[in-house]
Structures are given as structure tokens and as C-alpha cells.
Amino acid sequence: MQNTHTLRDHIRSVTTKTFKYSPIALCLAAATSSVNVQAQENGPTATQDTAQYERVIVTSRKRSESMNDVPISINVVGEDLIENLGAVDFTDLLGVVPSLTAYENGPGRTRLSIRGVANGGGNDNDTQNQETVGIYLDEIPISMGGMNPELALFDLKRVEVLRGPQGTLFGAGSMTGTVRLVSNDPDLSKFEGKYELSASKIEHGSNNKSVKALVNVPIIDNELAVRVSGYYLDNGGYIDNSLTGEKNLNDGLSKGAKLSALYIPTNELSVEFSYIHHDYSDDGRPVDIDSTPLFVRDYPSFDGFDDTMDIANLTLTYDLDWAELTSSSSYFDRSIVNPRSLDLLFESALPPGVSPHELIDFTDSEVFVQELRLASTTDSDLQWTVGAYADKKDVFYENTFPVPGADAILGVPSSAFGAPEDHLFYGFDDLTVKTYALFGELYYDIGDLSITAGLRYFNWEQEIEFYQSGLFNGEANSDTRPKGKVDGYNPKLNVSYHLNRDNLIYAQAAKGFRYGGINGAIPESVCADELAQVERDGGDTRFFDPDEIWNYEVGVKGSDTQGTVSYNATYFHIDWSDMQTSRSFECGFGFKENVGDATSKGVELEVTVKPLDGLVLSAGGAYINTTLDADVPNLDAQKGDAAPFVPEISFTTSAEYSTELNKDLEGFGWVNVQYTDDRSTEFSEQNSNYRKMDAYTVANMRLGIRFSGYEISLFANNMFDDDGVVRAIGRPPFDPPASIRVTPRTIGMTFRGGF
């Protein structure tokens, strides 16, 4: 690696030379050079040379590299596409990233999946939900089972979606892939700001309004800078309650702020600190009852959502001249209030006047994460990254069913069943999880051939205390659960070959995994027969084990020599064993178990073409076929049944054109179409909860002008007002037939400026 006297001069060449960048070098580059963002994300214009085009930098392997040199399937959503989409959170990116799908249950209650590794529903708040897709904000892991946080996508450099197991570097939560939200770093040399105002109208609903702003302030030139950003999003609603007369009940409010600071006292040391506070609340889930007209429901009970989180990170990077030593320390605190309507279940079971009929769940999570890693930086054919990881997660979850006056009306005190006054059910989980891991990857070049080998050792421990009580539990119980524990190894092998400097082919075999967990007790007083059947079948309702996949893939990626055509194509085959599946009892309780194996196979393809100066055409899609390998009686499913919530075919295509109208004015236009194929809610039509979701198509557009550092644009999202279903609901007697749909046509205006 270069010595400290020439480091700043060397990094000025980042747009004209191919080499692996250290984190410190990239930070210093921000202070000494200007990189064209449009070129990074969308390739060169007619005036840009091929060398500059190559500088699409990603950090998918925890080292900064050109995307064309990383032999894995990566989709990069740049800042331009985020702004064109008007994306509020990562859920808005689902339609533009091939293979990325989700089980959606409203903002902040989304469970991601990649490459068809999905098996349906389950309770949002279940503390035993284990994610298959890891979500990272810079260095900070923020994924959380079925309650993934959805931070506003503002002041992001890009979103990297890494498809395929990322367990070697990112751990158990990245069983099938990782989503990385990469923020803009503070600029050490430039005082600057940016702001955005937007307003729009939702068809069948109310208005959206948003304000976003940031300011970057160098405190010590080329040494210390702070960056402060904030957002206020007043999201309109479009669901009406025909019973209560409430209009647009699913409106929501999202607000937050971020402070980041970058300090580089010497060429060897970089110190970066960030702190984020985020609040979200709404007045109801975006659920309608599949009636005419649409977007209407008749639940009397409130099911709004409140979500508050604080996220902090301190990252220290030190240049040892032969390697970069990085320490990342993160803290994540989140509090959720998540009511759920049970009107259908209790409308006939309770006497008139007993209301409301809603569970109110409270979840408090506190997570500490520490990672220490060392990455080589020498100019050698052998490169490597090694590290150690540890985290501690404390989760306290209360599941309550308060019904004011219930004790008097029913004539039975809740205390007789161990519950607080006027509680038909009360329970809690007090969960502590500790993990640590050692990991490493080696990268060896033999001419144009590169070999990557990775291995992660993991150790996981879980302890849980729980209590369940109330009339609908039949009794009070708090059976002691032994500690859960598992350890093992997670390997990866990748071989790639550079056909030339712009194109490579690769093959990879990698294991993905996620941890198991401990189920709460199922009350024998109300579920005796079903519990007895499980016992007769040799099952155990107390625990469920880890499940894992083996992912095999071959791919090709690259561009032509002028950067006018770029592409990425991958074929994958996944063997999924010991699937973690939620099993529901008729008594209203359930548990997780490991039943069944499945195979997922498919193709991902992305192409970008620049046929004319100012015109960019892009398309991407995926074919995914995920089916059971054998009959699974507990799911009423048979061999060959397709996985729920996974479209067999999905694609997106877009066109963007910009042109100089005069010397001071630029015009631009963008149009995007997204197609999602049929899906189902269960593996088998024989399952009583099975529902089919038809294919749908969403079209978006944006037209605008740029002048003197300002931008004004008009946009239409879902401009043909498709009412496609993203999640069908139907689990009698707990949930009536209903749907969560694509947000109706939204038309508005955005104004952006900077200084």
C-alpha cells in the first residue's frame, strides 16, 4: 500500500485507475476529489471515458471495490433511482430489485425474502422470528424478524442488495442475502446543504406532505466534519372504516434525524460516529375487506402502530500500512406498540358491550453489537479479511388483551386465571440472546482466475422467561425452558474468471443458516387434544432447530468497453433443509417446528443500455421456482407445492432521458414499469388459510427540470391505479378475508434544492 506521504495524491486517481480502496482512502477522497454520482450509478455519458465508468464502488465484502470485480450477484439502487421512485423506505424498492420479495403487514411489519426462500406468515411480534435477509444501515445490523424497521431513505449514497447467502461476513440473519443502506459520509472540505419538499394526492384518499433537509459543515478543513439531516413525512391514508365513519385511517407520520461526524486526525486514523432517532406512528393497518368499493373495512377496534428507535454507531479505522483495522460498535434501541384487531373472533364469543376486541402488543428491544476486523491492503495476489463478532440482544415482549369492564360483565375476575384486572389474556416473553463469531475470507488471484474461500464459526445462546395467563389461556403457566444453544461453521467457495478487464464469470457454493429458538408454552387446558397428537407423533412443542440452505450459482457480469451496455445474469439452485415453519392449532395457539425440505431454482437478469447521449434504458427480472421436496402433512401440503408469497416471474423496466433545453436549463423524464406474478398465501390449496393473489402491474413516471442547482418535478406513482394485492389475509376465525393492496395512484410535485 502507498505510504502516508503519497496517500492523498494517490486517492485523487480513484476515477482513473482500478485498485482496492481502503476506508480511510475513500474518506480522504471525499475531501480531495469530486466523483460524479450519475456516473457511479448509471454509467458514463458520452463525455465520460470507460475508466470513470468502472468506478461503481460497493462494500459488499466489507472492503471497498469496483462492483464489476466482485463475483457475486449484486443489485445497486443508486440515489437517482431512489429519488425518481420517491421511495420512502426500503419496501418501496421491492419492485425494482429482482429476487427481492416480502411478506407485508403494514409499515414496520415487513419480512423480506430473497430467491424464494419463504414459507408464509406467523405473528409479527413473535420474538422467535428469525430473519432470512439481513438489513444493515452502514455498519449497523437493524433487521428484526417480522418487524424490520423502515427508516426514511434520505441522504443515502446507494442501497446494495446482495443476493445469495452472506453468512461468512454477515452472519445468520443473512441466510439468503443482505440489504445494505449506505449513507453519504460527512464531507471534510465542503460546506453544503440539500433540501426537498414534496406534496401529493392519493387516489381514493388524502394527501402526502414531506420535508427533508441536510447540512454538511467542515469544522477543521480536511480533518473534521459533521453532517446533520432530518425528515418529516406526513403520509396520507386511503382506507375508510364503514362502521365508525373514519376516513383515511391508515395515515401515518414518520419523522427522524441523523447526526454523523467524521474525524481524520492523521492519514492513519479515521473516526466516524453516527446517531439516528426515528419515530413512526399510524392510525391503522392498510387492510380492506375485499368488498366493493375497495379500500373499505369494518373493524371497530383500533390497530394503529407506534415505533420509536435510537441507533448509534462508532467506527474506528486504522491504517497499519499492510492492512486496515476496523472496530465497529453499535447500539440499537427500539420500542413498538402493535395492536391487532380480533373483532371477528370475539364478536359472537363475548356478550354485547364487551369491547374493544384487540390484542395490544408491546415490544422493547435493546441490542449491542461489536465487530473487529482486519482487511489486507497490500498490492498482492493474496488478499484477506478476518474478524470477530459479538452481540447481545434483550427483548421484552408483552402480549395483552385488555377489555375494560370485562370482569364485571363476565362475572369472573381475571385474577382467577392469573391475569391483571379486566384482561382476557396477559403474557410476556423476556428474552436474552448472545452470539459471537469468528470469520474470514481469502481472495487469491492467479492471473485472470480468482478464488475466494470463506468460513464463519458461530456460537449462539438463548434464554427465555415467559408467563401466560387469562381466561383465553385457560390458566396461568410459566413452564421453565432450558437454555437454547447451537454452534457450527458456515463455509463458502467462489471461483471467478475475468474474460477481459470489463467482464467476468463466476461459480459459487455457499451455505446459509439461521438460528432456531424456544417456543412459549401451549396451555393444556385449552389445547389438550392437539398437544396429545403432537406427542403421539413424536414432536416437541418446546424448541425448534436452525434451518439451512446450500446455494449453488453461476453468473456472468460486466460491460462493453465503452460502458454503453452493462449486465448481470445469474442462475441459482438452492437446497433448503429443516424448514422453520409455524404450525397453528385450532385452539388459537401454535408453535414453530422444523418440517419439510424445499428446492428453489431460478434466474436473475439485469441489463442497462445507453443507446444515445442522455438516454438510459434498463430492465431486470427474475424467474423463481420454489417447491416442496416431499409431502408435509402438518401444512396440508404435498410434494411439488410452490412456496407462498413468491412470484414465479417478476420484472422491472425503466427509461430515463435528460437533455439540455438551453445553457441554464435541463429537462428530464423517467418512466418505470413493475410486474409481479401470481402468488399464494400457503403452500397448498388444501390449507384452510389458502388464498391466491393475482398478478399486477405498477407504472410510475417523473418529469422535471433542473436549473441553477434546483429541481422541480411532477410525478405519478401507480399511474394506472392498479389495485394489486401484495398480501391476502384470511385466517378464520382470527382474521376475516381481507387484503393489503398496492398504494393507489399518487400524483404530486417535488422541489429539490441545495447550496
Side-chain angles (χ1 to χ4, degrees), residues 409-454:
I409 294 173
L410 296 175
V412 180
S414 297
S415 59
F417 301 94
E421 182 180 357
D422 290 334
H423 274 68
L424 299 182
F425 181 88
Y426 175 81
F428 68 79
D429 291 352
D430 192 355
L431 178 71
T432 300
V433 180
K434 298 177 182 178
T435 64
Y436 69 85
L438 302 173
F439 61 88
E441 285 194 349
L442 299 177
Y443 321 103
Y444 186 59
D445 294 337
I446 308 173
D448 292 324
L449 181 70
S450 296
I451 301 173
T452 300

CSV table of all heavy atoms in Angstrom, one decimal, residues 409-454:
chain,number,residue,atom,x,y,z
A,409,ILE,N,-68.7,-7.8,33.7
A,409,ILE,CA,-69.7,-8.3,32.7
A,409,ILE,C,-69.7,-9.9,32.7
A,409,ILE,O,-70.8,-10.5,32.7
A,409,ILE,CB,-69.4,-7.8,31.3
A,409,ILE,CG1,-69.7,-6.3,31.3
A,409,ILE,CG2,-70.3,-8.5,30.2
A,409,ILE,CD1,-69.2,-5.6,30.0
A,410,LEU,N,-68.5,-10.5,32.8
A,410,LEU,CA,-68.4,-11.9,32.7
A,410,LEU,C,-68.7,-12.6,34.1
A,410,LEU,O,-68.9,-13.8,34.2
A,410,LEU,CB,-67.1,-12.3,32.2
A,410,LEU,CG,-66.7,-11.9,30.7
A,410,LEU,CD1,-65.3,-12.3,30.4
A,410,LEU,CD2,-67.7,-12.6,29.8
A,411,GLY,N,-68.5,-11.8,35.1
A,411,GLY,CA,-68.7,-12.3,36.5
A,411,GLY,C,-67.6,-13.2,37.0
A,411,GLY,O,-67.8,-13.9,38.0
A,412,VAL,N,-66.5,-13.1,36.3
A,412,VAL,CA,-65.3,-13.9,36.7
A,412,VAL,C,-64.1,-13.0,36.7
A,412,VAL,O,-63.8,-12.3,35.7
A,412,VAL,CB,-65.0,-15.1,35.8
A,412,VAL,CG1,-63.8,-15.8,36.2
A,412,VAL,CG2,-66.2,-16.0,35.7
A,413,PRO,N,-63.4,-12.8,37.9
A,413,PRO,CA,-62.2,-11.9,37.9
A,413,PRO,C,-61.1,-12.5,37.1
A,413,PRO,O,-60.8,-13.7,37.1
A,413,PRO,CB,-61.9,-11.9,39.4
A,413,PRO,CG,-62.4,-13.1,39.9
A,413,PRO,CD,-63.6,-13.5,39.2
A,414,SER,N,-60.4,-11.6,36.4
A,414,SER,CA,-59.2,-12.1,35.6
A,414,SER,C,-58.2,-12.7,36.5
A,414,SER,O,-57.4,-13.6,36.1
A,414,SER,CB,-58.6,-10.9,34.8
A,414,SER,OG,-59.6,-10.4,33.9
A,415,SER,N,-58.1,-12.2,37.7
A,415,SER,CA,-57.1,-12.8,38.7
A,415,SER,C,-57.3,-14.3,38.9
A,415,SER,O,-56.3,-15.0,39.3
A,415,SER,CB,-57.2,-12.0,40.0
A,415,SER,OG,-58.5,-12.1,40.6
A,416,ALA,N,-58.5,-14.8,38.7
A,416,ALA,CA,-58.7,-16.2,38.9
A,416,ALA,C,-57.9,-17.0,37.9
A,416,ALA,O,-57.7,-18.2,38.0
A,416,ALA,CB,-60.2,-16.6,38.7
A,417,PHE,N,-57.5,-16.4,36.8
A,417,PHE,CA,-56.7,-17.0,35.7
A,417,PHE,C,-55.3,-16.5,35.7
A,417,PHE,O,-54.6,-16.6,34.7
A,417,PHE,CB,-57.4,-16.9,34.4
A,417,PHE,CG,-58.8,-17.5,34.3
A,417,PHE,CD1,-59.9,-16.7,34.5
A,417,PHE,CD2,-58.9,-18.8,34.1
A,417,PHE,CE1,-61.1,-17.2,34.5
A,417,PHE,CE2,-60.2,-19.4,34.0
A,417,PHE,CZ,-61.3,-18.6,34.2
A,418,GLY,N,-54.9,-15.7,36.8
A,418,GLY,CA,-53.6,-15.2,36.9
A,418,GLY,C,-53.3,-13.9,36.1
A,418,GLY,O,-52.1,-13.5,36.0
A,419,ALA,N,-54.3,-13.3,35.6
A,419,ALA,CA,-54.1,-12.1,34.7
A,419,ALA,C,-54.5,-10.8,35.5
A,419,ALA,O,-55.2,-10.9,36.5
A,419,ALA,CB,-55.0,-12.2,33.5
A,420,PRO,N,-54.0,-9.7,35.0
A,420,PRO,CA,-54.4,-8.4,35.6
A,420,PRO,C,-55.9,-8.2,35.4
A,420,PRO,O,-56.5,-8.8,34.6
A,420,PRO,CB,-53.5,-7.4,34.8
A,420,PRO,CG,-52.4,-8.1,34.3
A,420,PRO,CD,-52.9,-9.5,34.0
A,421,GLU,N,-56.4,-7.2,36.2
A,421,GLU,CA,-57.8,-6.9,36.1
A,421,GLU,C,-58.3,-6.5,34.7
A,421,GLU,O,-57.6,-5.8,33.9
A,421,GLU,CB,-58.1,-5.7,37.0
A,421,GLU,CG,-59.6,-5.3,37.1
A,421,GLU,CD,-59.8,-4.1,38.0
A,421,GLU,OE1,-58.8,-3.6,38.6
A,421,GLU,OE2,-61.0,-3.7,38.1
A,422,ASP,N,-59.4,-7.1,34.3
A,422,ASP,CA,-60.0,-6.8,33.0
A,422,ASP,C,-59.1,-7.2,31.8
A,422,ASP,O,-59.1,-6.5,30.8
A,422,ASP,CB,-60.4,-5.4,32.9
A,422,ASP,CG,-61.6,-5.0,33.8
A,422,ASP,OD1,-62.4,-5.9,34.1
A,422,ASP,OD2,-61.7,-3.8,34.1
A,423,HIS,N,-58.4,-8.3,32.0
A,423,HIS,CA,-57.5,-8.8,30.9
A,423,HIS,C,-58.0,-10.2,30.6
A,423,HIS,O,-57.8,-11.1,31.5
A,423,HIS,CB,-56.0,-8.8,31.3
A,423,HIS,CG,-55.3,-7.5,31.1
A,423,HIS,ND1,-55.6,-6.4,31.8
A,423,HIS,CD2,-54.4,-7.2,30.2
A,423,HIS,CE1,-54.8,-5.4,31.4
A,423,HIS,NE2,-54.1,-5.9,30.4
A,424,LEU,N,-58.5,-10.4,29.4
A,424,LEU,CA,-58.8,-11.8,29.0
A,424,LEU,C,-57.6,-12.6,28.6
A,424,LEU,O,-57.7,-13.9,28.6
A,424,LEU,CB,-59.8,-11.7,27.8
A,424,LEU,CG,-61.1,-11.0,28.1
A,424,LEU,CD1,-62.0,-11.1,26.8
A,424,LEU,CD2,-61.8,-11.6,29.3
A,425,PHE,N,-56.5,-12.0,28.4
A,425,PHE,CA,-55.2,-12.7,28.2
A,425,PHE,C,-54.1,-11.7,28.6
A,425,PHE,O,-54.2,-10.5,28.3
A,425,PHE,CB,-55.0,-13.1,26.7
A,425,PHE,CG,-53.7,-13.8,26.5
A,425,PHE,CD1,-53.6,-15.2,26.7
A,425,PHE,CD2,-52.5,-13.2,26.2
A,425,PHE,CE1,-52.4,-15.9,26.5
A,425,PHE,CE2,-51.3,-13.8,26.0
A,425,PHE,CZ,-51.3,-15.2,26.2
A,426,TYR,N,-53.1,-12.2,29.2
A,426,TYR,CA,-51.9,-11.4,29.5
A,426,TYR,C,-50.7,-12.4,29.5
A,426,TYR,O,-50.7,-13.5,30.1
A,426,TYR,CB,-52.0,-10.7,30.9
A,426,TYR,CG,-50.7,-10.0,31.2
A,426,TYR,CD1,-50.4,-8.8,30.7
A,426,TYR,CD2,-49.7,-10.6,32.0
A,426,TYR,CE1,-49.2,-8.1,30.9
A,426,TYR,CE2,-48.5,-10.0,32.3
A,426,TYR,CZ,-48.2,-8.8,31.7
A,426,TYR,OH,-47.1,-8.1,32.0
A,427,GLY,N,-49.6,-12.0,28.8
A,427,GLY,CA,-48.4,-12.8,28.8
A,427,GLY,C,-47.2,-11.9,28.5
A,427,GLY,O,-47.3,-10.8,28.0
A,428,PHE,N,-46.0,-12.5,28.7
A,428,PHE,CA,-44.8,-11.8,28.3
A,428,PHE,C,-43.7,-12.8,28.0
A,428,PHE,O,-43.7,-14.0,28.5
A,428,PHE,CB,-44.3,-10.8,29.4
A,428,PHE,CG,-43.9,-11.4,30.7
A,428,PHE,CD1,-42.6,-12.0,30.8
A,428,PHE,CD2,-44.7,-11.4,31.8
A,428,PHE,CE1,-42.1,-12.6,32.0
A,428,PHE,CE2,-44.2,-12.0,33.0
A,428,PHE,CZ,-43.0,-12.6,33.1
A,429,ASP,N,-42.8,-12.4,27.2
A,429,ASP,CA,-41.5,-13.1,26.9
A,429,ASP,C,-40.4,-12.2,27.3
A,429,ASP,O,-40.4,-11.0,26.9
A,429,ASP,CB,-41.4,-13.4,25.4
A,429,ASP,CG,-42.3,-14.5,24.9
A,429,ASP,OD1,-43.0,-15.1,25.7
A,429,ASP,OD2,-42.4,-14.7,23.7
A,430,ASP,N,-39.5,-12.7,28.1
A,430,ASP,CA,-38.3,-11.9,28.5
A,430,ASP,C,-37.1,-12.7,27.9
A,430,ASP,O,-36.7,-13.8,28.5
A,430,ASP,CB,-38.2,-11.8,30.0
A,430,ASP,CG,-37.1,-10.8,30.4
A,430,ASP,OD1,-36.4,-10.3,29.5
A,430,ASP,OD2,-37.0,-10.5,31.6
A,431,LEU,N,-36.5,-12.2,26.9
A,431,LEU,CA,-35.6,-13.0,26.0
A,431,LEU,C,-34.2,-12.3,26.1
A,431,LEU,O,-34.1,-11.1,25.9
A,431,LEU,CB,-36.1,-13.0,24.6
A,431,LEU,CG,-35.3,-13.7,23.5
A,431,LEU,CD1,-35.4,-15.2,23.7
A,431,LEU,CD2,-35.9,-13.3,22.2
A,432,THR,N,-33.2,-13.2,26.2
A,432,THR,CA,-31.8,-12.7,26.1
A,432,THR,C,-31.1,-13.6,25.1
A,432,THR,O,-31.1,-14.9,25.3
A,432,THR,CB,-31.1,-12.8,27.5
A,432,THR,OG1,-31.8,-11.9,28.4
A,432,THR,CG2,-29.6,-12.3,27.3
A,433,VAL,N,-30.5,-13.0,24.1
A,433,VAL,CA,-29.7,-13.8,23.1
A,433,VAL,C,-28.3,-13.3,23.1
A,433,VAL,O,-28.1,-12.0,23.0
A,433,VAL,CB,-30.4,-13.6,21.7
A,433,VAL,CG1,-29.6,-14.4,20.7
A,433,VAL,CG2,-31.8,-14.1,21.7
A,434,LYS,N,-27.3,-14.2,23.1
A,434,LYS,CA,-25.9,-13.8,23.0
A,434,LYS,C,-25.3,-14.6,21.8
A,434,LYS,O,-25.5,-15.8,21.8
A,434,LYS,CB,-25.2,-14.1,24.3
A,434,LYS,CG,-25.7,-13.3,25.5
A,434,LYS,CD,-24.9,-13.7,26.7
A,434,LYS,CE,-25.4,-12.9,28.0
A,434,LYS,NZ,-24.7,-13.3,29.2
A,435,THR,N,-24.6,-14.0,21.0
A,435,THR,CA,-23.9,-14.7,19.9
A,435,THR,C,-22.5,-14.1,19.8
A,435,THR,O,-22.2,-13.0,20.1
A,435,THR,CB,-24.6,-14.5,18.5
A,435,THR,OG1,-24.6,-13.1,18.2
A,435,THR,CG2,-26.0,-15.0,18.6
A,436,TYR,N,-21.6,-15.0,19.3
A,436,TYR,CA,-20.3,-14.5,18.9
A,436,TYR,C,-19.8,-15.3,17.7
A,436,TYR,O,-20.3,-16.5,17.5
A,436,TYR,CB,-19.3,-14.5,20.1
A,436,TYR,CG,-18.8,-15.9,20.5
A,436,TYR,CD1,-17.8,-16.6,19.9
A,436,TYR,CD2,-19.4,-16.4,21.7
A,436,TYR,CE1,-17.4,-17.8,20.4
A,436,TYR,CE2,-19.0,-17.7,22.1
A,436,TYR,CZ,-18.0,-18.4,21.5
A,436,TYR,OH,-17.6,-19.6,22.0
A,437,ALA,N,-18.9,-14.8,17.0
A,437,ALA,CA,-18.5,-15.5,15.8
A,437,ALA,C,-17.1,-15.1,15.4
A,437,ALA,O,-16.6,-14.0,15.7
A,437,ALA,CB,-19.4,-15.2,14.6
A,438,LEU,N,-16.4,-16.0,14.7
A,438,LEU,CA,-15.1,-15.7,14.1
A,438,LEU,C,-15.2,-15.9,12.6
A,438,LEU,O,-15.8,-16.9,12.2
A,438,LEU,CB,-14.0,-16.6,14.7
A,438,LEU,CG,-13.8,-16.5,16.2
A,438,LEU,CD1,-12.8,-17.5,16.7
A,438,LEU,CD2,-13.3,-15.1,16.6
A,439,PHE,N,-14.7,-15.0,11.8
A,439,PHE,CA,-15.0,-15.2,10.4
A,439,PHE,C,-13.7,-14.8,9.6
A,439,PHE,O,-12.9,-14.0,10.1
A,439,PHE,CB,-16.2,-14.4,9.9
A,439,PHE,CG,-16.1,-12.9,10.1
A,439,PHE,CD1,-15.5,-12.1,9.1
A,439,PHE,CD2,-16.5,-12.3,11.3
A,439,PHE,CE1,-15.4,-10.7,9.3
A,439,PHE,CE2,-16.4,-10.9,11.5
A,439,PHE,CZ,-15.8,-10.1,10.5
A,440,GLY,N,-13.7,-15.2,8.3
A,440,GLY,CA,-12.6,-14.9,7.5
A,440,GLY,C,-12.8,-15.2,6.0
A,440,GLY,O,-13.6,-16.2,5.7
A,441,GLU,N,-12.3,-14.4,5.1
A,441,GLU,CA,-12.3,-14.7,3.7
A,441,GLU,C,-10.9,-14.5,3.1
A,441,GLU,O,-10.3,-13.5,3.4
A,441,GLU,CB,-13.4,-13.9,2.9
A,441,GLU,CG,-14.8,-14.3,3.2
A,441,GLU,CD,-15.8,-13.7,2.2
A,441,GLU,OE1,-15.4,-12.8,1.5
A,441,GLU,OE2,-16.9,-14.2,2.1
A,442,LEU,N,-10.5,-15.4,2.2
A,442,LEU,CA,-9.3,-15.2,1.5
A,442,LEU,C,-9.6,-15.1,0.0
A,442,LEU,O,-10.5,-15.8,-0.6
A,442,LEU,CB,-8.4,-16.5,1.7
A,442,LEU,CG,-7.9,-16.8,3.1
A,442,LEU,CD1,-7.2,-18.1,3.1
A,442,LEU,CD2,-7.1,-15.7,3.7
A,443,TYR,N,-8.9,-14.2,-0.7
A,443,TYR,CA,-9.1,-13.9,-2.1
A,443,TYR,C,-7.7,-14.1,-2.8
A,443,TYR,O,-6.8,-13.3,-2.5
A,443,TYR,CB,-9.6,-12.5,-2.3
A,443,TYR,CG,-10.6,-12.0,-1.3
A,443,TYR,CD1,-10.3,-11.2,-0.3
A,443,TYR,CD2,-11.9,-12.5,-1.4
A,443,TYR,CE1,-11.2,-10.8,0.6
A,443,TYR,CE2,-12.9,-12.1,-0.4
A,443,TYR,CZ,-12.5,-11.2,0.6
A,443,TYR,OH,-13.4,-10.9,1.5
A,444,TYR,N,-7.6,-15.0,-3.7
A,444,TYR,CA,-6.3,-15.3,-4.3
A,444,TYR,C,-6.5,-15.2,-5.8
A,444,TYR,O,-7.3,-15.9,-6.4
A,444,TYR,CB,-5.8,-16.7,-3.9
A,444,TYR,CG,-4.4,-17.0,-4.4
A,444,TYR,CD1,-3.3,-16.1,-4.1
A,444,TYR,CD2,-4.2,-18.1,-5.2
A,444,TYR,CE1,-2.1,-16.4,-4.5
A,444,TYR,CE2,-2.9,-18.3,-5.7
A,444,TYR,CZ,-1.8,-17.5,-5.3
A,444,TYR,OH,-0.6,-17.7,-5.8
A,445,ASP,N,-5.6,-14.4,-6.5
A,445,ASP,CA,-5.6,-14.2,-7.9
A,445,ASP,C,-4.5,-15.0,-8.5
A,445,ASP,O,-3.3,-14.9,-8.1
A,445,ASP,CB,-5.5,-12.7,-8.3
A,445,ASP,CG,-6.6,-11.9,-7.8
A,445,ASP,OD1,-7.7,-12.4,-7.6
A,445,ASP,OD2,-6.5,-10.7,-7.6
A,446,ILE,N,-4.9,-15.8,-9.6
A,446,ILE,CA,-3.9,-16.5,-10.4
A,446,ILE,C,-4.1,-16.0,-11.8
A,446,ILE,O,-4.9,-16.6,-12.6
A,446,ILE,CB,-4.0,-18.0,-10.3
A,446,ILE,CG1,-4.1,-18.5,-8.8
A,446,ILE,CG2,-2.9,-18.7,-11.0
A,446,ILE,CD1,-4.4,-19.9,-8.6
A,447,GLY,N,-3.4,-14.9,-12.2
A,447,GLY,CA,-3.7,-14.3,-13.5
A,447,GLY,C,-5.1,-13.8,-13.5
A,447,GLY,O,-5.5,-13.0,-12.6
A,448,ASP,N,-5.9,-14.2,-14.4
A,448,ASP,CA,-7.3,-13.8,-14.6
A,448,ASP,C,-8.3,-14.6,-13.7
A,448,ASP,O,-9.5,-14.3,-13.7
A,448,ASP,CB,-7.8,-13.8,-16.0
A,448,ASP,CG,-7.0,-12.8,-16.9
A,448,ASP,OD1,-6.8,-11.7,-16.4
A,448,ASP,OD2,-6.7,-13.1,-18.1
A,449,LEU,N,-7.7,-15.6,-13.1
A,449,LEU,CA,-8.5,-16.5,-12.2
A,449,LEU,C,-8.5,-16.1,-10.8
A,449,LEU,O,-7.4,-15.8,-10.3
A,449,LEU,CB,-8.0,-18.0,-12.3
A,449,LEU,CG,-8.8,-19.0,-11.5
A,449,LEU,CD1,-10.2,-19.2,-12.1
A,449,LEU,CD2,-8.0,-20.3,-11.5
A,450,SER,N,-9.6,-16.0,-10.1
A,450,SER,CA,-9.7,-15.6,-8.7
A,450,SER,C,-10.4,-16.6,-7.9
A,450,SER,O,-11.5,-17.2,-8.3
A,450,SER,CB,-10.4,-14.2,-8.5
A,450,SER,OG,-9.7,-13.2,-9.1
A,451,ILE,N,-9.9,-17.0,-6.7
A,451,ILE,CA,-10.5,-17.9,-5.8
A,451,ILE,C,-10.8,-17.3,-4.5
A,451,ILE,O,-9.9,-16.6,-3.9
A,451,ILE,CB,-9.6,-19.2,-5.6
A,451,ILE,CG1,-9.3,-19.8,-7.0
A,451,ILE,CG2,-10.3,-20.1,-4.7
A,451,ILE,CD1,-8.3,-20.9,-6.9
A,452,THR,N,-12.1,-17.4,-4.0
A,452,THR,CA,-12.5,-16.9,-2.7
A,452,THR,C,-12.9,-18.0,-1.9
A,452,THR,O,-13.8,-18.8,-2.3
A,452,THR,CB,-13.6,-15.9,-2.9
A,452,THR,OG1,-13.2,-14.8,-3.7
A,452,THR,CG2,-14.0,-15.3,-1.5
A,453,ALA,N,-12.4,-18.1,-0.7
A,453,ALA,CA,-12.8,-19.1,0.3
A,453,ALA,C,-13.1,-18.4,1.6
A,453,ALA,O,-12.4,-17.5,2.1
A,453,ALA,CB,-11.7,-20.1,0.5
A,454,GLY,N,-14.3,-18.7,2.2
A,454,GLY,CA,-14.7,-18.1,3.4
A,454,GLY,C,-15.2,-19.1,4.4
A,454,GLY,O,-15.7,-20.2,4.0
